[in-house]
Each structure stands twice: as structure tokens, then as C-alpha cells.
């Protein structure tokens, strides 16, 4: 955020809180609100943080008074219409979406003399300009992705697995679904459920049972409810919200803070819950009672979807002329055959195995930290000259930092020439999911080097096509057929002997599988290595051979 934006936001918040600003400065800020959509969104988010807790936790939201304040009573939604609070709220937000500039300025004037409900509701209207499952690039930044659904039936919008989700509402009529935020936070929900995604670290649950998990680095995830707020402090927790707004919370791992606005005053009651503790928040009395009797959502088993490829996929790869091609669909005596005659097989080490998926297609499965495993050739490989490309399909089970494959010098597995891993954090960014890192080092080393980091796109619980290639120090990384970055690294000599391993940062035939660092958890399939660069057209064509059914 630039300095001018920060200054204007600071002054706008001063005016919003009834601070003293010159009239010309107020007019200047109002003009920017009307004409600058990015500034409106930023201001709305600031107001949201300052005011939503008091409004959302109030026992009786004053939607009717808010309608009168904003001149919406002529729509038929007045005290004589018999409309419910939810119907009034929906009418208000619909009006905000139709005429955002008029209502942002109305919000400004009314907020200045204390209309907290108007501020929060209109901030909501400004921020939420998208629908679930829509193309995030067209409607604002992507916040999360739907990674799993079990017999899920949606109330309004059909939301298929893999949908990018921005700020907006998810209304699940029945079944279960799992949402993964780009921060790595996962939220499982069971229908009937009404969940609204606000930011990377905040949602509103109006109804339903949730189970959330925040990995290390993503602490502070907040679940707002009609009568309370739950903030995770590095936890796995359950939240249950009934249709009448009753809120129950349980902590399964770590800690969480629950807070409850006291009706009729500014006081907020808080309590810290440790693992194994639960509570019921009682808005009528302001109590936070220990030991909830609610039944919380059980953990969701993470399942990897089947990988379906066109029947001619293998022929297409063979026609591309790889040096090595391991389909990873079968093994005999602990060895995975190489489809290229005369080329070495891959050995199964530790917990790595060949297993069928739900669709019956076999691939290499890695249990991860519970039983680390790796694949490796019996003999050293020679780095192809003058270029090489490594192609594969992968599906990760977690957001942890895990190695997909690595090339190391033979005398020590600690010194890397090449490394590709998932779950890494980009420099100058917070916790993120779906990051792929491509690293080159020469001379071989255990530190430093040139990196390409993908944006959050290669999410867990989904299959992804990957190509990492280099020529004379020129690096390029492709994910799902699209180039995500290029870089220049130090070129290194041709015909360098290399130790190759898949599924871990380092491993060799005499290594202890339990000592594998950054073990991969998930599946790998169709690994090919070439002694040339693949063209962008070839990469797109190979990635396009995945079938949805």
C-alpha cells in the first residue's frame, strides 16, 4: 500500500470515528471514496475490523432502523411489511450492490455520527462483489479453493470441487465440504450451513457445524457468529451455530479465544480455551459456560481425487522422446520399470508404495511424516547436456513443506543442484498454500541458489501437472500447462553425475527412511525426464490430456 493511500485511510478513519478534520479535507476524502474502488474496498475492510464485532454480536440487529436511516423503507420492507430481519438485511445488501457509490457516501455521513450498524453493513456490501465459485480474477482476489465435497448440495450456486472462492457466501444445504484458504487454513463444514468468506483470516458462520485447522504461521483465524467470536491461536477447533444463533466451541488442539459482546454495553467478555476444553456462549446473560454439550463435527478424511488421463497420454509422452519415463503404475520386487528400454528402474524406499486410487488407477503413494518414503534409481544419473526438462503429475495431501524431487551431487546428499518442492513460503509473504518452489544451485550447495516461486495455485487434494526445465542457466517452471516464472541461474557443466530422489529432500539406497527430510505426502504419477526443453505448446498439450471423467 502506497504512502498516499495510508495517509488517506488514516484520515478517513479519523472522520469516521467523529474526529476533527477540516471541511475541505473531508470533501477530498469523500471524492476519493466515490471515484476510487480500491480505496473504497480498503476503507470498508478497515471499518469492518473496527465495527463488525459489536454489530454482529448484538442480540437484536437493528435492520429496520438501518433501512429507515438509509431511505429504503419505500421498498416495502418497513415495520408493517412483516419482513424478517434476514429479509431486511438481504434487501439492504442488494441495494448496496446496485448503487455502491450512493450508499458508501450515505454510510460515510451516517457513520460520522455513530451509526455503527450502517457502517458494518455497508462495509459488507462494498467488500462482497462476487458470488461463490466465480472466476476470482474477474471479481477480486482469490481467498480459498473448494478442495473436497461429499454429497454436497448447495442452496444457491453449484460449486464444484476446485472452484476458486473470493469474498462471498457459501450456503450448503446438506452434505460436507472442505475449503482451503491460500493461507493454508482449512475449514470443513456440514450442511445445513451458512458460511461467509470475508478475508484470508475471517469468516462469518450464521449456521452450521465447522471444524477449522490453522497450520503454523496462519494463527489468528477468526470465526464470527451471530453471538460471539472465536479466534484461533494455532488450533484445530470446532464451532457449532444453530439456526437460532446459539454458539458452541471446542478446541481439539492448541488454544482459542472466545469473546461475547455484552448486550446493552460496550463490554466484551473473553475466555481462553485450551485443548480438550469446550464452551457455550449465552448472549442473553453474557455468560461463557464451560463444557458444551454440543456434538461437534468429526475430522474430515482427506481423499485425493483419481487421476484420469486420455488413453493416448502414454503415446504422446513416448513421441516426445524422453530419456526416462516411469509411469509409476506397477512395481515388481521393489522396482518400478522404466518405459525407455535400457534405462534404470526406480526403487521403492521406506513407506513409498504403488497403490490404486479411488478410480482404480495405480500411482506412487507417499504417507508423509507418519512413514516417510522415497523413489530413487539404483545408479547415478548424468545431468543431460545441454538442457533438461523434468515432467510429472502430483497431488499433495497437506500444506506442509515437502520435496517433490531433488538432484544432489553423489558424494553427499546434502548438496543440491536442483530441488522442486511444494508448501514453501515465498519471500516477503505470509503463510500460503499451493506454492511450488524450483531451485537451482551451482556449484552444488546446501544453501543459496536461484529460485522460482509459483503463486498460490497448486493446492493440495488436487492433481497438478508440473514441468521444471533449464538450459544454460535459463530456468522455467510450468504448472498445469501455464508458465509461472522464468529466471537466470549459473550454468553448470554438462554430464554432471547426479543422485536423483523423488519424495524427499535427500535419500539413497543405504539411507534410513525414517530420516528423510521434508517427506512428501500424496501421490506422484507419470514422471518423464528429457534431454531438451519442452516447448510451451508441448507443455500445454500434455497438461490438457487430463480428463474430468
Amino acid at each position: 500500500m502506497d504512502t498516499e493511500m495510508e495517509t488517506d485511510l488514516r484520515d478517513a478513519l479519523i472522520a469516521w470515528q467523529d474526529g476533527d478534520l477540516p471541511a475541505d479535507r473531508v470533501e477530498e476524502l469523500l471524492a476519493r471514496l466515490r471515484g476510487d474502488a480500491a480505496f473504497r474496498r480498503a476503507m470498508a475492510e478497515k471499518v469492518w475490523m473496527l465495527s463488525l464485532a459489536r454489530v454482529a454480536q448484538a442480540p437484536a440487529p437493528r435492520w429496520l432502523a438501518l433501512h429507515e436511516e438509509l431511505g429504503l423503507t419505500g421498498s416495502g420492507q418497513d415495520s408493517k411489511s412483516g419482513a424478517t430481519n434476514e429479509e431486511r438485511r438481504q434487501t439492504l445488501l442488494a441495494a448496496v450492490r446496485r448503487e455502491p457509490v450512493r450508499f458508501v457516501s450515505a454510510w460515510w455521513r451516517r457513520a460520522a455520527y455513530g451509526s455503527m450498524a450502517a457502517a458494518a453493513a455497508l462495509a459488507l456490501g462494498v467488500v462482497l462483489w462476487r458470488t461463490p465459485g466465480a472466476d476470482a480474477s474477474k471479481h477480486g482476489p482469490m481467498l480459498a479453493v473448494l478442495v473436497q465435497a461429499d454429497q454436497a448440495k448447495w442452496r444457491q450456486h453449484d460449486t464444484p470441487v476446485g472452484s476458486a472462492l473470493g469474498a462471498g457466501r457459501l450456503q450448503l444445504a446438506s452434505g460436507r465440504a472442505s475449503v482451503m484458504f491460500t493461507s493454508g487454513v482449512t475449514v470443513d463444514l456440514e450442511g445445513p450451513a451458512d458460511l461467509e468468506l470475508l478475508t484470508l483470516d475471517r469468516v462469518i458462520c450464521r449456521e452450521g457445524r465447522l471444524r477449522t485447522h490453522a497450520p503454523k504461521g496462519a494463527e489468528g483465524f477468526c470465526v464470527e457468529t451471530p453471538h460471539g467470536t472465536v479466534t484461533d491461536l494455532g488450533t484445530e477447533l470446532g464451532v457449532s451455530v444453530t439456526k437460532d444463533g446459539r454458539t458452541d466451541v471446542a478446541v481439539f488442539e492448541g488454544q482459542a479465544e472466545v469473546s461475547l459482546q455484552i448486550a446493552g454495553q460496550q463490554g466484551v467478555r473473553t475466555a481462553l480455551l485450551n485443548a480438550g476444553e469446550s464452551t457455550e456462549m449465552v448472549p442473553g446473560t453474557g455468560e461463557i459456560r464451560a463444557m458444551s454439550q454440543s456434538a461437534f463435527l468429526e475430522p474430515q478424511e482427506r481423499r485425493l481425487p483419481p487421476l484420469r488421463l486420455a488413453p493416448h497420454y502414454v503415446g504422446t509422452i513416448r513421441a516426445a522422446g524422453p530419456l526416462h519415463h516411469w509411469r509409476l503404475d506397477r512395481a515388481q520386487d521393489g522396482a518400478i520399470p522404466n518405459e525407455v528400454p535400457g534405462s534404470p528402474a526406480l526403487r521403492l524406499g521406506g513407506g513409498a508404495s504403488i497403490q490404486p486410487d479411488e478410480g482404480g488407477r495405480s500411482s506412487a503413494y507417499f504417507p508423509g511424516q507418519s512413514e516417510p518414503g522415497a523413489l530413487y534409481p539404483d545408479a547415478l544419473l548424468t545431468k543431460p547436456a545441454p538442457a533438461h526438462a523434468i515432467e510429472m503429475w502430483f497431488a499433495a495431501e497437506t500444506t506442509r513443506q515437502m520435496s517433490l524431487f531433488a538432484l544432489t551431487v553423489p558424494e553427499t546428499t546434502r548438496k543440491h543442484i536442483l530441488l522442486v518442492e511444494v508448501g514453501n513460503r515465498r519471500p516477503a509473504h505470509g503463510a500460503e498454500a499451493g506454492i511450488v518452489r524450483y531451485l537451482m544451485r551451482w556449484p552444488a550447495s546446501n544453501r543459496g541458489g536461484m529460485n522460482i516461486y509459483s503463486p498460490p495455485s497448486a493446492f493440495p487434494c488436487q492433481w497438478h501437472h508440473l514441468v521444471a526445465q533449464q538450459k544454460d542457466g535459463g530456468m522455467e517452471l510450468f504448472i498445469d500447462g501455464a508458465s509461472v516464472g522464468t529466471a537466470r541461474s549459473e550454468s553448470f557443466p554438462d554430464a554432471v553425475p547426479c543422485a536423483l530422489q523423488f519424495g524427499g529432500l535427500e535419500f539413497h539406497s543405504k539411507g534410513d527412511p525414517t530420516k528423510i527430510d521434508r517427506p512428501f505426502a500424496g501421490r506422484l504419477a507419470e514422471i518423464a525426464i528429457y534431454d531438451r526443453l519442452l516447448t510451451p505448446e508441448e507443455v500445454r498439450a500434455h497438461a490438457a490430456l487430463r480428463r474430468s471423467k
Side-chain angles (χ1 to χ4, degrees), residues 156-173:
Q156 294 178 326
H157 305 278
D158 182 29
T159 309
V161 171
S163 293
L165 304 173
R169 205 158 176 177
L170 288 173
Q171 293 180 298
L172 183 64

Side-chain angles (χ1 to χ4, degrees), residues 330-475:
R330 64 197 188 278
Q332 184 175 4
D333 298 327
I336 300 169
N338 197 318
E339 305 299 318
V340 178
S343 296
L346 285 179
R347 291 288 174 181
L348 293 161
S353 61
I354 303 298
Q355 296 185 15
D357 59 26
E358 290 187 350
R361 186 187 194 283
S362 293
S363 56
Y365 178 69
F366 300 78
Q369 291 182 329
S370 63
E371 193 179 357
L375 308 178
Y376 61 95
D378 284 332
L380 296 176
L381 297 184
T382 299
K383 177 260 175 189
H388 73 253
I390 301 179
E391 178 180 28
M392 66 192 310
W393 292 86
F394 74 94
E397 284 187 330
T398 78
T399 61
R400 286 191 291 267
Q401 183 179 3
M402 303 178 294
S403 176
L404 287 175
F405 59 90
L407 284 174
T408 59
V409 292
E411 62 268 19
T412 170
T413 56
R414 295 300 301 179
K415 292 186 177 182
H416 287 86
I417 299 172
L418 177 153
L419 171 66
V420 175
E421 57 186 12
V422 295
N424 203 298
R425 179 178 296 183
R426 292 185 292 174
H429 287 73
E432 294 178 307
I435 305 298
V436 176
R437 177 196 185 196
Y438 175 22
L439 166 69
M440 296 286 293
R441 291 172 174 152
W442 188 261
S445 176
N446 57 7
R447 64 182 64 188
M450 182 61 67
N451 297 270
I452 297 174
Y453 293 89
S454 79
S457 56
F459 288 96
C461 303
Q462 299 177 13
W463 280 98
H464 300 282
H465 179 258
L466 179 146
V467 172
Q469 59 185 15
Q470 74 87 30
K471 179 179 180 181
D472 298 329
M475 305 164 57

Side-chain angles (χ1 to χ4, degrees), residues 57-59 261-267 283:
Q57 295 165 8
Q261 178 74 45
I262 306 302
Q265 58 173 286
Q266 301 301 312

